[in-house]
Amino acid sequence: MSYQVTIEPIGTTIEVEEDQTILDAALRQGVWLPFACGHGTCGTCKVQVTDGFYDVGEASPFALMDIEREENKVLACCCKPESDMVIEADVDEDEDFLGYLVEDYQAKVIEIKDLSPTIKGVRLQIDRAMQFQAGQYVNIQLPNIEGTRAFSIANSPNEEGIVELHIRKVEGGAATTYVHENLQKGDELDISGPYGQFFVRKSDDRGVIFIAGGSGLSSPQSMILDLLEAGETRNIYLFQGARDVSELYNREIFENLVKEYANFHYIPALNAPKTEDAWTGFTGFVHEAVANHFENKCSGHKAYLCGPPPMIDAAISTLMQSRLFEKDIHTERFLSAADGANGQSRSALFKHI
C-alpha cells in the first residue's frame, strides 16, 4: 500500500510507501525538503500537516514540542502517512544545488586505516557509480546495529565508484565502536545516498573559507578537491582545528595542495599541543585562527563550517563579528542522538545556519 502526499506551496505530489517516511520518499523522488540530522533530533525538516492522518514517529521532544504536535506539525524524517496527506513545507531552491536522487547501493570495504587516535578512514567500493555533490553524505547500515548512521563523503565526486569516510569513535556509540573494533576489509554493507544540502555555491566567485574540526574535515576535503580539480582560481582557505598533532590528520594532503595550487591556503590550529609536538603553527581554537588570519575582516568571502556544534557556534560568532552575513555562512553540524537528547538544535536566531 502507498499514499499520496502533496507538498505545498510547490504543488508536487509524491508517493509514500507504507512504513516509509515522508522525507525518504521525497528525496528518492527528487523533492529536496529541508533537513539536517535525518533522525528526529534537530527539527530542520519540520512541516505543517493540513490534511490527512499519520504516525508522528520517534521525533525528539526537543525537536518537536508538544504544542507543535497539537498544531499538526511533524518532522518529515520521522513521520509516516496513514492516509493521503497534504503538507506545507519551506522548500528552498538554490541554483547551485544539483539534487541527485537518493538510491540504495551495495558497498565493499576495501581499506581501513588509522587517521588519528580517534578517527578511522574507511574506503568503500560501491556496486555502481554514485552521483553526489561534494559536501553530501551517505547513510550506512551496520551489522546488528539498529537504524542507519550518517557519514560525510570525503573523496572527490570525480573518483567514481568509491566512497571515503572519516569516522570518529564516539564513547558509548554502538555504530562507531563497531567500525573501530569490528569492521574488516572485505566486509559488505548496505548504504544509501547522497543526502544533505551542504555544498559549494560555485556560481558565487568570492573567496571561500572552510573551517573544520575533528572528523568534520571530511566534507571540506571533498569540496576542496572538487574545486581544485575543476580548475577553480578563487582563493580557497582551509582552517583545520585539532587538539594536538596526532589529531591533525591528513595534514600532508593539504600541505601538498598548497605546493601545487597557488590559490589554496592551509592554516591548521592546535588548541592543546603536546611538548613533543614541537608545534610552531597557530596555537588556539580554530575560530581564533580565522580571526587572527583575516584580522577580523572576513567580508567578501563565503564560509563553509563542518564539525561539532560548539565549534560551529564559535565560528559563526567569529565570522559575523568579522563582517560576514548569515547568507554567506553555510554549516554542517555533526549531531548525534545524544546531542538531540540534550536539546541541541539550530539557533532560532538564524534561518539558514
Side-chain angles (χ1 to χ4, degrees):
M1 178 180 288
S2 63
Y3 302 105
Q4 303 292 310
V5 176
T6 301
I7 303 169
E8 299 292 359
I10 60 175
T12 299
T13 298
I14 60 172
E15 186 169 334
V16 186
E17 298 296 326
E18 189 173 14
D19 206 39
Q20 184 182 30
T21 67
I22 293 173
L23 179 63
D24 184 62
L27 298 180
R28 292 174 183 274
Q29 294 169 62
V31 180
W32 281 80
L33 298 176
F35 76 101
C37 74
H39 49 75
T41 64
C42 74
T44 305
C45 64
K46 194 175 299 175
V47 299
Q48 176 72 55
V49 178
T50 59
D51 190 33
F53 300 96
Y54 54 86
D55 177 357
V56 71
E58 298 181 3
S60 161
F62 298 99
L64 188 67
M65 295 182 291
D66 289 342
I67 190 171
E68 293 176 314
R69 296 170 193 244
E70 293 171 3
E71 294 171 346
N72 294 321
K73 289 184 171 65
V74 300
L75 301 185
C77 70
C78 298
C79 181
K80 299 176 181 178
E82 294 180 338
S83 73
D84 291 346
M85 295 174 61
V86 178
I87 65 173
E88 292 181 353
D90 182 15
V91 181
D92 291 328
E93 295 184 357
D94 192 299
E95 63 177 312
D96 290 303
F97 182 59
L98 301 179
Y100 295 122
L101 296 183
V102 170
E103 298 183 40
D104 298 317
Y105 300 84
Q106 290 291 311
K108 183 177 182 179
V109 180
I110 59 173
E111 183 181 9
I112 304 175
K113 64 179 179 180
D114 293 328
L115 297 177
S116 82
T118 61
I119 299 172
K120 293 277 190 184
V122 179
R123 286 176 64 83
L124 305 173
Q125 176 78 55
I126 52 179
D127 57 358
R128 63 191 188 281
M130 175 194 294
Q131 287 187 302
F132 70 90
Q133 203 161 355
Q136 292 191 293
Y137 66 87
V138 294
N139 279 339
I140 296 183
Q141 178 70 64
L142 293 163
N144 303 315
I145 304 294
E146 183 178 357
T148 59
R149 299 296 189 275
F151 299 106
S152 294
I153 304 172
N155 57 294
S156 164
N158 296 322
E159 193 173 9
E160 289 192 3
I162 296 294
V163 170
E164 178 184 331
L165 311 172
H166 300 165
I167 302 177
R168 179 178 67 88
K169 186 176 182 180
V170 177
E171 283 302 318
T176 60
T177 297
Y178 182 91
V179 170
H180 277 251
E181 298 181 4
N182 302 103
L183 191 67
Q184 301 290 323
K185 183 177 178 180
D187 286 354
E188 295 187 352
L189 304 170
D190 294 327
I191 75 171
S192 62
Y195 295 97
Q197 292 175 285
F198 186 57
F199 57 92
V200 175
R201 276 65 179 175
K202 292 185 177 180
S203 64
D204 191 313
D205 61 2
R206 286 176 291 177
V208 184
I209 300 170
F210 292 101
I211 307 175
S215 59
L217 179 66
S218 50
S219 290
Q221 177 175 303
S222 177
M223 297 158 103
I224 289 166
L225 292 173
D226 183 45
L227 286 170
L228 294 177
E229 289 169 2
E232 184 58 62
T233 58
R234 77 184 85 179
N235 279 315
I236 301 169
Y237 301 86
L238 170 62
F239 293 85
Q240 181 187 3
R243 182 175 178 80
D244 53 44
V245 167
S246 69
E247 293 288 350
L248 193 69
Y249 75 94
N250 283 0
R251 177 183 176 187
E252 297 79 8
I253 291 176
F254 301 109
E255 289 177 340
N256 288 333
L257 289 176
V258 168
K259 296 174 184 176
E260 186 175 354
Y261 298 95
N263 61 319
F264 178 65
H265 314 275
Y266 176 53
I267 304 93
L270 301 183
N271 66 289
K274 298 175 182 177
T275 303
E276 58 266 32
D277 289 339
W279 180 247
T280 58
F282 185 87
T283 300
F285 291 102
V286 68
H287 65 279
E288 296 171 333
V290 175
N292 178 74
H293 184 86
F294 286 103
E295 299 180 338
N296 295 307
K297 297 175 184 177
C298 292
S299 58
H301 296 85
K302 297 283 282 187
Y304 300 88
L305 288 52
C306 192
M311 186 219 82
I312 296 291
D313 292 339
I316 289 173
S317 295
T318 293
L319 291 169
M320 296 190 78
Q321 291 167 9
S322 301
R323 305 176 188 176
L324 207 60
F325 295 109
E326 176 195 349
K327 62 183 177 63
D328 294 320
I329 303 173
H330 307 276
T331 71
E332 182 80 310
R333 296 172 187 263
F334 278 24
L335 289 166
S336 67
D339 293 319
N342 291 327
Q344 291 278 2
S345 64
R346 296 186 306 165
S347 170
L349 294 174
F350 308 116
K351 180 180 186 329
H352 299 292
I353 59 179

